[in-house]
Amino acid sequence: MNIPSAPRRPLTVLLAAPRGSCAGVERAIAIVEEALRRYGPPVYVRHEIVHNRYVVDRLKRQGAVFVDELDAVPDGRPVVFSAHGVAETVRQEAGRRRLPVVDATCPLVAKVHRAVDRHVRAGRPVVLIGHDGHAEVVGTLGQAPPGAVHLVESPADVDRLTLPADRTIAYATQTTLAVEETAAVVTRLQQRFPLLTGPARDDICYATSNRQAAVKAIAPRVDLLLVVGAPNSSNSNRLVEVARTTGAGDARLIERAHDLPWDRLETIASLGLTAGASAPELLVQEVLDALRLRFTLDVRTVRLAEETQSFRLPRFPPLFAAPDQAAE
Ligand code: 2E4
Ligand code: SF4
């Protein structure tokens, strides 16, 4: 006997666009894949290439070995620097050991590094707006000698700076910050340091600001907004915060479909969905497929911008024999 199944409840999904992988992430992943093809495994990667467990695990299965520091890289093996960039000391250490380096630092992070370096060489104190301890911030601070760059996160931090008000002070920012919050910090810097110099507005990249703009458009129209992304992903966490402050009833970060908050989903009529810059589209589709098992979805894409940015791959250096091998 055929028992008719209960009709699935309708659920409207507003799908943010742009969402997910940006040009810097696609380039970084392609660099590890190309390094594996050219050099063969193992290819060492300093830090998670991007902050996404699915991406890291897939590359591990292909032969990438993720390490925290260069001392875990054997002499002579290639090492990839992650998309978040590295401090100068790391680059120098790799040079001293003559490790073949492939640099997957996002070109938009590298641009901030060059600006900081320019200011420091010109003798200007630099204020960096960013989150203490984050890999990108560690790398950007590390473009200058200790003490030359002052890290702030909030207007209150700006008030605590002891730099002279009558000098030219430069500033730079992490690329993945919340746009409005950062503007408030820059405004306070301008008030305290009238000769402030730096980017036109901030160093927040096109991908970060486009993903936030799409969330802002969707947030007031949904009961719950889900961001596919990792707990250690700065840009993904900012999307959750932006959703909360711009009117979403609730906003949460999920890594994959298995994190879907089913009890909460039973209580809502409209869901917003987006993904951080390090989350592949496949994970968004996995979430939608899981939702379709329980709901009749009405998926509407809300597009705020078209993205055409792409970055070329860097140079891949030749492999040299390790010093002890060369002596044999
Ligand atoms: C480099 C710079 O910085 P965040 O934690 O957002 O990094 P994630 O790996 O999540 O995203 C890619 C990325 C890499 C963003 N900016
Ligand atoms: Fe580069 Fe922006 Fe992507 Fe970061 S989020 S990797 S800065 S494009």
Side-chain angles (χ1 to χ4, degrees):
M1 192 177 69
N2 269 345
I3 304 169
S5 55
R8 284 170 297 183
R9 209 167 66 73
L11 180 65
T12 300
V13 178
L14 299 188
L15 189 56
R19 64 177 176 278
S21 299
C22 61
V25 163
E26 281 174 4
R27 174 179 180 269
I29 295 169
I31 286 172
V32 179
E33 289 172 342
E34 179 61 18
L36 284 162
R37 248 193 310 277
R38 288 191 188 213
Y39 305 125
V43 164
Y44 290 80
V45 184
R46 187 189 174 279
H47 194 75
E48 288 187 339
I49 185 72
V50 298
H51 292 147
N52 187 275
R53 184 149 26 130
Y54 172 85
V55 170
V56 166
D57 286 346
R58 187 163 55 74
L59 292 171
K60 270 186 194 167
R61 285 195 295 275
Q62 293 173 35
V65 177
F66 291 86
V67 298
D68 291 333
E69 290 304 340
L70 293 186
D71 51 18
V73 180
D75 285 337
R77 285 310 300 171
V79 60
V80 178
F81 292 158
S82 83
H84 316 93
V86 297
E88 264 306 297
T89 50
V90 175
R91 212 175 278 284
Q92 284 160 6
E93 168 71 358
R96 198 185 57 72
R97 289 186 52 200
R98 303 233 205 131
L99 293 174
V101 168
V102 194
D103 189 359
T105 303
C106 176
L108 301 181
V109 173
K111 188 174 155 205
V112 179
H113 288 186
R114 287 194 299 274
V116 167
D117 181 56
R118 242 187 351 262
H119 292 308
V120 171
R121 281 174 195 278
R124 293 189 275 270
V126 180
V127 177
L128 176 66
I129 308 173
H131 295 290
D132 199 4
H134 184 276
E136 182 184 325
V137 167
V138 172
T140 304
L141 288 173
Q143 300 308 302
V149 183
H150 306 261
L151 183 64
V152 298
E153 290 195 20
S154 63
D157 288 344
V158 173
D159 292 342
R160 283 189 283 270
L161 289 170
T162 54
L163 297 165
D166 59 349
R167 267 191 73 185
T168 301
I169 306 290
Y171 80 98
T173 79
Q174 195 175 341
T175 57
T176 53
L177 299 178
V179 172
E180 264 78 34
E181 256 178 51
T182 307
V185 183
V186 174
T187 300
R188 189 67 64 91
L189 278 171
Q190 284 162 338
Q191 287 163 350
R192 278 214 57 196
F193 306 105
L195 301 177
L196 187 74
T197 185
R201 199 170 54 163
D202 54 47
D203 295 307
I204 298 170
C205 77
Y206 81 94
T208 298
S209 49
N210 285 347
R211 279 150 193 69
Q212 287 175 21
V215 161
K216 279 178 211 160
I218 288 173
R221 298 163 57 191
V222 295
D223 302 315
L224 170 66
L225 191 142
L226 295 176
V227 178
V228 180
N232 60 342
S233 166
S234 165
N235 79 87
S236 306
N237 281 297
R238 299 298 81 76
L239 292 176
V240 174
E241 288 167 8
V242 167
R244 287 186 184 140
T245 54
T246 58
D250 186 4
R252 300 182 190 188
L253 190 66
I254 58 170
E255 285 195 74
R256 297 194 63 157
H258 57 63
D259 296 327
L260 275 165
W262 293 110
D263 289 351
R264 183 75 180 91
L265 286 163
E266 286 305 331
T267 67
I268 65 167
S270 56
L271 174 71
L273 184 60
T274 188
S278 41
E281 177 61 15
L282 181 137
L283 300 183
V284 176
Q285 294 305 321
E286 179 191 87
V287 166
L288 287 170
D289 288 345
L291 288 168
R292 280 193 190 97
L293 297 175
R294 303 221 194 168
F295 300 96
T296 299
L297 297 189
D298 174 13
V299 180
R300 302 176 196 175
T301 298
V302 178
R303 176 169 292 283
L304 262 284
E306 298 286 343
E307 291 183 346
T308 55
Q309 180 73 253
S310 69
F311 297 120
R312 275 207 293 268
L313 297 195
R315 205 180 77 83
F316 288 76
L319 282 192
F320 297 108
D324 53 341
Q325 289 169 343
E328 280 166 14

